[in-house]
Amino acid sequence: HDGPIETDAVIVGAGPVGLFQVFELGLLEIKAHVIDSLAYPGGQCVELYPDKPIYDIPAVPVCTGQELTDNLLKQIEPFGATFHFGQEVSKVERQEDGRFYVETSKGTRFLTKTIFIAAGVGAFQPKQLKVEGLAQYEGTQFHYRVKNPADFAGKNLVVVGGGDSALDWALNFCAGNADGNPHKAESVILIHRRDGFRAAPASVAKMREMCDALEMQFIVGQITGIEEKDGKLAGAKVTGGDGVTRVVPMDALLVFFGLSPKLGPIADWGLDIERKQLKVDTEKFATNVPGIFAVGDINTYPGKKKLILSGFHECALAAFGAAPFIFPDKKIHLQYTTTSPKLHKVLGVE
Ligand code: FAD
């Protein structure tokens, strides 16, 4: 087994603020590892409003959530941060040597001198379908995400939800893909609580086409119970708009209710928390634990405004606040990116 990754800085969260933290650390020649529970960077900007325009980023009159993220990624490229997506930071423990041991839900481990918590409103996690007895099948016959589409080939599938993920996957497992879909399910039944969808209109039209062609079925209703047989999930009890409950037989259940943020394990790291926010000072954006900083929507201080531009400012001061933990003997001076040969070197623009 490889040992933990040794590093100067770990950033928890790849939202806009976590991404800009990479930049501010990079200028001070501090390399960072960035972790996010989502499979991609951008935080709320990408998860909640990728196509909506933002008008209050200084000197950027308008850009969408996705464009802001893409530009931040481009801006931080010179600093070669390492990204660890699809995993939640679950554990943070101080070691005897003063460093922190950090562990993720996927078992990635770090030993780091500093931590920057840029966790926003929390780790985005799938919204759950709560039905008695269902939880025990999670990971076998019941899933909130598709890891390996081949697992569902030839199965009788029930897909629940009305957004893009639900429709995309329902269509994906359905017949009709050109040149033989390798992951074609035996049958696909889509269930949504109403006959109206958040998904892209083109996907909805395609779904209706497939239903007309009897390649898939759509049922309006909600899953209110399960049927088990020989220790396996055998069917879903679906209560329709008419109030009648019917049993839908199946081999596997896929639920796509979207994602919602959860503060989660951050609450257990010994940090001062006030109404789900980490208390920091406004000089260094340091938490009560020396070496752990908090920036962006996750922090609170008198006058805090949850704005991206505030988060960016916090990153700069947190980076200077952290430098003594990494370079105890070095005096850090403020330099301008315009004129500093040293900064040109770290930016790769000599
Ligand atoms: P987030 O964007 O929330 O990112 C945090 C990331 O951390 C997430 O990706 C999350 O998955 C991850 N994370 C959390 N906990 C963990 C963990 N334990 N392990 C791993 N990963 C974790 N702001 C503006 O300034 N201007 C606007 O016009 C504007 N419009 C908005 C419109 C909408 C609809 C919404 C919802 C917000 C808007 N905001 C706007 C607010 C802005 O999006 C937030 O201030 C900003 O996203 C905060 O960035 P952040 O990086 O601090 O957190």
Side-chain angles (χ1 to χ4, degrees), residues 12-18 35-38 43-44 48-49 54 56 87-89 118-124 266 296-297 306-308:
V12 182
V17 179
I35 305 161
D36 205 297
S37 55
L38 291 174
Q44 292 173 58
L48 302 179
Y49 59 100
I54 310 172
D56 59 348
Q87 45 199 309
E88 193 190 358
V89 176
V121 282
F124 282 99
I266 293 174
D297 279 13
K306 288 190 185 182
L307 287 172
I308 297 166

Side-chain angles (χ1 to χ4, degrees), residues 172-190:
N172 186 284
F173 287 121
C174 221
N177 288 16
D179 21 275
N181 178 356
H183 308 133
K184 185 175 155 0
E186 175 66 23
S187 70
V188 177
I189 298 179
L190 177 70

Side-chain angles (χ1 to χ4, degrees), residues 214-231:
L214 306 180
E215 301 278 11
M216 83 187 250
Q217 205 187 327
F218 168 51
I219 302 176
V220 177
Q222 276 173 295
I223 296 191
T224 49
I226 56 167
E227 288 238 315
E228 295 166 280
K229 203 179 163 207
D230 306 327

Side-chain angles (χ1 to χ4, degrees), residues 2 17 26 71 89 142 147 188 191 236 254 268 278 280 295 321 332:
D2 295 334
V17 179
N71 281 333
V89 176
F142 162 45
K147 274 200 200 110
V188 177
I191 298 177
L254 292 167
D268 309 324
L278 302 177
V280 291
V295 289
I332 310 283

